[in-house]
Amino acid sequence: MKTLWGKPVAEEIYLRLEEETARYIQSTNHAPYLAVILVGSDPASSSYVSMKEKACDRLGFDHATYRFDESVSEEKLLSLLSKLNDDPKVDGILVQLPLPDHLDAAKILETISPLKDVDGFHPVNVGNLLLGNPSLVSCTPLGILKMLEYYEIETAGKHVVVVGRSNIVGKPIAALLFQKGWDATVTICHSKTRNLRGITSLADILIVAIGQPLLITPDHVKEGAVIIDVGINRIEDAGRARGYRLVGDVDFEHVASKTTAITPVPGGVGVMTVAMLMNNTLQAAKKRRNEAEILA
Ligand code: GUN
């Protein structure tokens, strides 16, 4: 059994991005610029946003974080988004999810310019992804692909079972892996799937992103499968100073010995997401600038 750590994969990506960013800044005299919008004070969201800020600083990106109270109006966010869309120095815009219930998340995400949508959540980018066209791709699925490449996990002709149908992970990773080049046969399971373990047991590669701590136990897993665990769940743990610990959607402790390779939580896919956000921001900057040059 091999543990698929995210750190070496993310480090390799950061080294490439450092070089690419330095070249970009030298040739354009502009740093890539990421704008992040954070609503409310959810501790997990705040901690993700601070990881994004640190990653920008490491690479030399410019960035701004717009923080709003939980009660912010939709109009206020929409008007900020249209300002950022029109601002030529802004390359990437990210609205941290989840948003409070009184805000229409779909409407907000659709307001972001598809060219600046570094999360890859805009319907135009999702549509292009499904069609197999170039697009900005959601960061966690892109991180999973980079891990599969780095660890040389073959997907062609393999049966990939995805557990979870979220717009952020389940749908896009499924839609990526059946494209030409990845060539997997993909099954999607979700909360209403009957006989979940019967289906997950058929997986050569099992990708779990459903947000249910320790859902996947040894009887869900075929001997020799590869498991990618995207879940990051806080569960109470009185033995820890902070009162909780992080676990995945997979019961790593009991499942690992049945697999040929498995991602740990924490330390697996999680560290890839921010690296891919930086990648998307730089690609968005390059593309917009190239198009501006072509039009000039
Ligand atoms: N919340 C959980 N994952 C994500 C993500 O990838 N992007 C954003 N914007 N919010 C999230």
Side-chain angles (χ1 to χ4, degrees), residues 48 52 94-98 119 121 138-140 168 273:
Y48 291 140
K52 290 165 189 174
L94 177 148
V95 177
Q96 185 64 36
L97 301 178
D119 251 331
F121 293 164
S138 174
C139 303
T140 303
I168 299 184
T273 302

Side-chain angles (χ1 to χ4, degrees), residues 20-291:
E20 226 178 281
T21 305
R23 277 201 303 275
Y24 176 82
I25 294 174
Q26 200 166 32
S27 71
T28 65
N29 273 322
H30 285 277
Y33 188 113
L34 175 66
V36 174
I37 297 174
L38 174 61
V39 179
S41 55
D42 173 58
S45 289
S46 303
S47 123
Y48 291 140
V49 166
S50 88
M51 284 160 62
K52 290 165 189 174
E53 291 168 334
K54 282 192 193 121
C56 283
D57 289 336
R58 168 173 177 181
L59 293 173
F61 289 14
D62 287 333
H63 60 93
T65 303
Y66 297 84
R67 291 168 202 272
F68 292 97
D69 192 80
E70 192 88 23
S71 63
V72 66
S73 71
E74 197 165 286
E75 292 68 38
K76 199 161 179 180
L77 292 179
L78 294 178
S79 109
L80 171 61
L81 287 172
S82 85
K83 215 176 80 193
L84 296 170
N85 283 341
D86 293 341
D87 186 340
K89 78 169 181 296
V90 175
D91 296 301
I93 303 171
L94 177 148
V95 177
Q96 185 64 36
L97 301 178
L99 288 169
D101 287 344
H102 71 278
L103 299 171
D104 182 344
K107 186 170 171 195
I108 288 168
L109 297 177
E110 280 175 29
T111 303
I112 299 172
S113 159
L115 294 172
K116 299 188 177 187
D117 169 38
V118 286
D119 251 331
F121 293 164
H122 192 283
V124 165
N125 284 318
V126 178
N128 277 325
L129 178 149
L130 187 62
L131 293 171
N133 295 336
S135 66
L136 284 163
V137 176
S138 174
C139 303
T140 303
L142 202 52
I144 294 172
L145 297 184
K146 295 289 171 194
M147 288 189 76
L148 294 172
E149 273 177 345
Y150 181 92
Y151 288 108
E152 298 180 343
I153 295 164
E154 181 58 72
T155 55
K158 298 281 179 64
H159 187 187
V160 174
V161 175
V162 177
V163 181
R165 55 176 159 182
S166 69
N167 292 343
I168 299 184
V169 184
K171 285 179 197 168
I173 192 63
L176 285 160
L177 284 170
F178 66 64
Q179 300 290 336
K180 288 210 163 89
W182 296 98
D183 298 315
T185 302
V186 181
T187 301
I188 305 176
C189 301
H190 48 76
S191 55
K192 300 286 192 299
T193 295
R194 287 191 198 155
N195 187 22
L196 179 68
R197 70 190 64 195
I199 299 172
T200 55
S201 302
L202 300 173
D204 301 311
I205 301 173
L206 180 60
I207 301 179
V208 193
I210 200 162
Q212 283 192 44
L214 311 177
L215 172 74
I216 300 298
T217 52
D219 54 342
H220 290 83
V221 176
K222 180 168 79 174
E223 194 78 45
V226 171
I227 298 189
I228 308 290
D229 185 359
V230 187
I232 303 179
N233 309 287
R234 292 182 177 196
I235 61 170
E236 270 186 43
D237 186 343
R240 303 284 173 103
R242 56 187 181 181
Y244 69 88
R245 72 190 154 97
L246 296 178
V247 298
D249 292 349
V250 177
D251 183 355
F252 183 98
E253 189 191 342
H254 297 106
V255 166
S257 62
K258 243 185 137 172
T259 67
T260 48
I262 179 168
T263 59
V265 177
V269 176
V271 300
M272 296 299 298
T273 302
V274 177
M276 299 327 297
L277 173 68
M278 299 297 114
N279 173 76
N280 284 357
T281 304
L282 180 56
Q283 303 321 320
K286 282 182 157 178
K287 182 151 190 281
R288 278 197 329 114
R289 209 158 285 275
N290 280 341
E291 283 174 8

